[in-house]
Amino acid sequence: MMINYNNIVSFKKSSLIFIEDTYPKNSFYIITSGKAVSYGTYFDSKMEYTTGDILGLVNSALNEPYFFNMRAETDVEALEINVDEIIKIYNRDIIKKIHYYLENSLEIWLSKYYINLSHHNSITKYDIKEEYVLNMAQIYIDNGFPTIAYEMYKQCLKLFPGSDNSQNIKDIINSMSEYNLPDPVEIDDNVFYCKKGYCLYTEIMASNYLYLINSGKVGVYNVVNSQLVTRAIYSSNNLVDGYMPDIIYQPLSTTTVVLEDSKIKLLSKEEFISIVANVNSLRPYYFKIICTKIRNNIFKVMALNSNDLFMKILITIYYIVRTEILFLSKEVNNIDLLYKVHDIVTIIGYNKIDAVRNELKKINAISIDEEDYIHILDINEIIKEYEIYKKRLSLKNHYN
């Protein structure tokens, strides 16, 4: 392992550790003593960071400008680590610690997003009741996902076997037999061919697998306040986590469905960590994947907290585009997104689809086809427009 544990840096109380919208150095920090706080334009409250917390890893790993300011609340000492060195770690225990730390960060930002989206003030445990499951299944039917509903009805029978509704649910299941898709076929070592429409798992019952998409397209959704929310749509080389979240908060659970015929590799967490620990070349891939998920949820929080509809949309399109091009084998400057206008509407929690479509049309580098899919005509122009508009809003807010 190449990390220099003597590379300790100090920050005096009230000094800035990093500044919002500036690009990171090729390094990040692990606090060894003291306390830091973050605050920024799109965040209503401060977050505290203490001994053992990691600062700036996501930004350094993705070369993404800092999302917020970080200030030393007390005198702070921190270990500074070059981001390139972290991929040289071979110690399995250290890799596991980093993995679980990043997973926890992901859940924290997901929680913040869903608390804002669902207008709850705190994380509360949802009781999974039969009526809740049946309503959720109907929402998936109404949104064009009958195979998900079919799976939920079957799960409902397992969860509530003695229910007075059992026979009615069985009748519904029998009437939906056309949506009983065959199980995926194993075509290689834990690689399965999945037909379009196959439901990998639901927010009612987790699968406890990681899904590595070798080819195809997978959609991740959930229901919040009786509305379907598009969590993400993933294509080749992306990783989907089917594990039950550690934080007991129902909106963190997701439903995942195959949107086109796909080849998907199933892994347990232990298998994945073992691969990351033993295959050095996969380390950058792993860190990019999980850091991208964290970044995207930070941007979701930023979009919800923005009072400007156009900015909400620009933030969302920006991180979607950055995610789509992350693992492309060649440089491109245009891309057909997997998202429709309705998906953007659900992500930003703004229920006026025509208003969102009109704002999207104001972006010169975007076109919308007859099926409402979004196409990026110039990736560089999108990124430039996001950065310019964000600075313009910042200046406007400053002088107001």
Side-chain angles (χ1 to χ4, degrees), residues 224-240:
V224 179
N225 286 355
S226 299
Q227 299 289 325
L228 186 67
V229 176
T230 302
R231 174 82 155 258
I233 300 175
Y234 293 118
S235 54
S236 300
N237 297 319
N238 273 286
L239 188 73
V240 179

Side-chain angles (χ1 to χ4, degrees), residues 75-212:
D75 288 349
V76 170
E77 288 193 342
L79 174 65
E80 184 174 10
I81 301 175
N82 187 295
V83 75
D84 296 324
E85 292 177 349
I86 202 168
I87 67 172
K88 301 173 185 176
I89 298 172
Y90 287 95
N91 185 304
R92 183 183 177 88
D93 290 335
I94 294 176
I95 289 173
K96 286 181 73 172
K97 285 180 182 178
I98 294 172
H99 171 82
Y100 288 118
Y101 182 86
L102 290 172
E103 275 204 334
N104 183 61
S105 296
L106 176 59
E107 287 198 9
I108 287 171
W109 284 106
L110 272 171
S111 298
K112 288 181 177 294
Y113 169 64
Y114 282 113
I115 285 169
N116 287 346
L117 187 66
S118 59
H119 307 296
H120 285 278
N121 294 320
S122 62
I123 297 173
T124 55
K125 182 176 180 179
Y126 278 38
D127 290 326
I128 302 299
K129 298 179 180 178
E130 183 184 48
E131 182 182 5
Y132 180 73
V133 177
L134 296 177
N135 288 341
M136 189 180 295
Q138 186 60 51
I139 289 168
Y140 277 104
I141 288 175
D142 293 342
N143 284 274
F145 293 110
T147 55
I148 294 176
Y150 182 86
E151 188 63 28
M152 284 187 168
Y153 286 128
K154 291 197 302 180
Q155 292 174 354
C156 193
L157 285 180
K158 293 178 182 178
L159 289 171
F160 310 101
S163 166
D164 293 338
N165 284 327
S166 292
Q167 187 56 52
N168 182 45
I169 296 171
K170 289 177 183 177
D171 291 342
I172 293 174
I173 290 172
N174 289 334
S175 72
M176 297 178 68
S177 59
E178 64 185 291
Y179 302 115
N180 183 21
L181 299 182
D183 289 334
V185 177
E186 188 170 10
I187 57 176
D188 203 347
D189 182 25
N190 274 354
V191 177
F192 293 83
Y193 178 77
C194 305
K195 294 288 289 181
K196 178 182 178 180
Y198 185 80
C199 182
L200 297 173
Y201 59 87
T202 75
E203 54 227 85
I204 306 305
M205 289 187 181
S207 70
N208 293 335
Y209 280 106
L210 296 169
Y211 299 86
L212 178 58

Side-chain angles (χ1 to χ4, degrees), residues 36-39 45-49 68 70 108-109 112:
V37 294
S38 66
Y39 61 96
S45 58
K46 297 177 181 178
M47 289 183 66
E48 292 188 353
Y49 300 82
F68 36 67
M70 184 69 66
I108 287 171
W109 284 106
K112 288 181 177 294

Side-chain angles (χ1 to χ4, degrees), residues 339-342 353 357 368-375:
Y339 294 77
K340 292 185 175 183
V341 175
H342 176 73
I353 190 168
R357 187 182 292 107
I368 302 170
D369 66 22
E370 293 179 355
E371 294 181 349
D372 249 11
Y373 279 104
I374 299 167
H375 304 274

Side-chain angles (χ1 to χ4, degrees), residues 8-9 11 17 28-37 47-55 70-81 101:
I8 300 294
V9 294
F11 300 95
I17 298 171
F28 61 97
Y29 305 105
I30 300 177
I31 297 177
T32 56
S33 67
K35 182 171 69 174
V37 294
M47 289 183 66
E48 292 188 353
Y49 300 82
T50 57
T51 302
D53 284 337
I54 300 175
L55 310 179
M70 184 69 66
R71 188 187 70 224
E73 188 77 350
T74 66
D75 288 349
V76 170
E77 288 193 342
L79 174 65
E80 184 174 10
I81 301 175
Y101 182 86

